[in-house]
Amino acid sequence: MDQPLEIAGALFLVLALAGCGYLILAGLRTHAFFRARPVQPPARPEAVTVLKPLYGEEPGLDAALATFFAQDYPGQTQVVFGVREAADPARRAAERLAAAHPGRDVSVVVDPRLHGVNGKVSNLINMASRARGPILVLSDSDIAVPSDYLTRVVQALEGEGVGLVTCPYYGKAQAGFWSKIAAMGLTFQFLPSVVTGVSLGLATPCMGSTIALRRSVLQEIGGFEAFADLLADDYAIGEAVRKAGHRTLVAPVLVAHGCADASLTQMLAHELRWARTVRGVDPAGFFGSGVTHAFVLALIATLLLHGSPIALAVLALATGVRLWMMRHVSQVMRPAKAPLWLFPLRDILSFGVFVASFFVTVVDWRGARFRVDRSGGLSGI
């Protein structure tokens, strides 16, 4: 056997074994992070404004938005929807919900003004003047939440020194086969990675699934205007809150992210943008995450070593540990389940996205293309 191939194969075997250790740790940490905890109403149920920036029609949009009207929060709740175009079909979804809840405090903002390259942040800037609550809860359009969501998020925000609360999420397929593959990536790779990083003190994420903060803290960090030209606006908001002297907290509140990728092309474009974002904000951590792809690392080692017994043994171990971790993570999800037998395809695609992200400088976002600089800034093409 060629010596360079032997050396490369041995290296991949070592990485695969390290990845197996990570998978065991991630499964245990994720299960522990979401263990049942008593829900206590906030000591002071202050008024909350939920900000929902919208863009385009998405599968399951009405159902996801409706979960924000089914909250058991004891305080006043306002919901502000925002679109940039009057003809946006998401506007009709917002207006349908407003009409279905005539006694609720709901606003639909239509404002085309752009304040930077980031369209979502421009939308938030346009919506902010309609918000009345001292507590703001931002959430992406494709997020569905449990009924105790606001109660638990506001409870977490009352913690000493806490300036911002965010929530991890799993994937929920909305559009067929490729959306199932996309959902698996979120549920069995992203979610345990976030929880493990947080529980070990290695990560301080801020995610678009939930950004809850006081209006005074938002003003302290320069308002939404400070983030209008950034790709990783969510992460940047969390970073700004920490620089202002406040803690950011990942609450053990699991929400669902609707995956609407109808094709392989759509899914890869979405995941490449996400991977490029993460690489920009935490290059060292992202590079180190390569070890988490235990199954693919073991598969590469097996090919390089021409199916040697030790390589096949490590591949079998990686397969077993991967399936164990996925089943363990599945236990913390709500009714949604995932087809575990698809994991080889999912893991191979995930590793491909990981490698490709090191060569990507242009991303696709909502049908528009942007160039990303080293600091995560955006410029139109």
Side-chain angles (χ1 to χ4, degrees):
M1 187 180 296
D2 189 55
Q3 188 175 20
L5 289 182
E6 286 185 341
I7 295 172
L11 175 61
F12 276 99
L13 280 182
V14 171
L15 292 174
L17 288 171
C20 288
Y22 160 80
L23 291 175
I24 294 171
L25 178 64
L28 295 174
R29 290 278 179 168
T30 302
H31 196 268
F33 187 80
F34 292 106
R35 68 182 181 274
R37 293 175 173 86
V39 179
Q40 297 292 336
R44 304 182 307 278
E46 298 177 83
V48 173
T49 294
V50 177
L51 297 174
K52 298 291 290 187
L54 306 177
Y55 180 87
E57 193 168 14
E58 303 171 272
L61 178 61
D62 287 62
L65 297 179
T67 62
F68 288 84
F69 290 84
Q71 295 297 303
D72 59 13
Y73 183 66
Q76 294 181 345
T77 305
Q78 176 196 21
V79 180
V80 179
F81 297 110
V83 295
R84 292 190 52 249
E85 303 293 339
D88 192 322
R91 177 188 179 185
R92 294 194 293 272
E95 290 174 342
R96 283 194 298 270
L97 281 166
H101 299 85
R104 303 293 295 272
D105 187 353
V106 184
S107 298
V108 180
V109 176
V110 181
D111 192 332
R113 288 178 296 168
L114 273 174
H115 305 274
V117 179
N118 189 316
K120 185 185 83 171
V121 175
S122 289
N123 204 353
L124 286 167
I125 293 169
N126 297 336
M127 297 160 62
S129 62
R130 302 287 287 275
R132 292 189 291 274
I135 295 177
L136 305 177
V137 178
L138 291 58
S139 177
D140 289 342
S141 60
D142 50 13
I143 297 296
V145 299
S147 60
D148 60 357
Y149 166 78
L150 282 181
T151 298
R152 296 176 68 186
V153 166
V154 175
Q155 177 189 2
L157 192 60
E158 291 184 336
E160 184 177 356
V162 175
L164 182 149
V165 172
T166 191
C167 297
Y169 53 93
Y170 67 92
K172 183 177 181 181
Q174 303 277 22
F177 178 79
W178 290 111
S179 70
K180 290 181 181 179
I181 299 298
M184 289 181 69
L186 293 178
T187 303
F188 299 123
Q189 191 158 25
F190 171 77
L191 173 61
S193 176
V194 167
V195 171
T196 303
V198 168
S199 64
L200 294 177
L202 301 175
T204 52
C206 182
M207 296 163 282
S209 57
T210 297
I211 298 178
L213 73 174
R214 296 185 181 280
R215 183 194 298 271
S216 59
V217 172
L218 179 62
Q219 293 171 344
E220 188 178 351
I221 63 175
F224 294 126
E225 289 84 354
F227 312 97
D229 285 316
L230 297 178
L231 175 61
D233 54 278
D234 306 328
Y235 177 86
I237 290 172
E239 187 72 10
V241 169
R242 287 188 292 274
K243 286 182 178 179
H246 307 283
R247 288 200 299 132
T248 60
L249 178 69
V250 179
V253 182
L254 188 59
V255 302
H257 170 96
C259 297
D261 301 305
S263 68
L264 175 61
T265 301
Q266 285 184 353
M267 188 194 80
L268 292 178
H270 184 185
E271 294 188 357
L272 275 171
R273 177 177 64 82
W274 177 82
R276 180 61 185 82
T277 302
V278 176
R279 186 170 74 84
V281 300
D282 183 15
F286 183 77
F287 182 80
S289 72
V291 77
T292 67
H293 300 273
F295 170 76
V296 179
L297 294 171
L299 183 61
I300 294 172
T302 301
L303 294 174
L304 290 173
L305 298 175
H306 301 289
S308 70
I310 188 171
L312 289 172
V314 173
L315 179 60
L317 174 65
T319 300
V321 171
R322 179 65 164 144
L323 286 170
W324 173 86
M325 189 273 271
M326 292 169 70
R327 291 186 182 277
H328 223 54
V329 171
S330 291
Q331 295 175 11
V332 308
M333 295 164 56
R334 293 192 178 257
K337 298 297 179 184
L340 303 187
W341 60 273
L342 288 172
F343 92 88
L345 173 61
R346 174 64 269 182
D347 283 12
I348 290 170
L349 289 171
S350 294
F351 188 75
V353 169
F354 170 77
V355 173
S357 69
F358 289 94
F359 305 96
V360 169
T361 57
V362 175
V363 298
D364 182 271
W365 192 4
R366 298 283 193 174
R369 292 172 65 79
F370 298 93
R371 190 172 303 279
V372 186
D373 63 27
R374 291 186 177 180
S375 64
L378 293 175
S379 59
I381 295 179

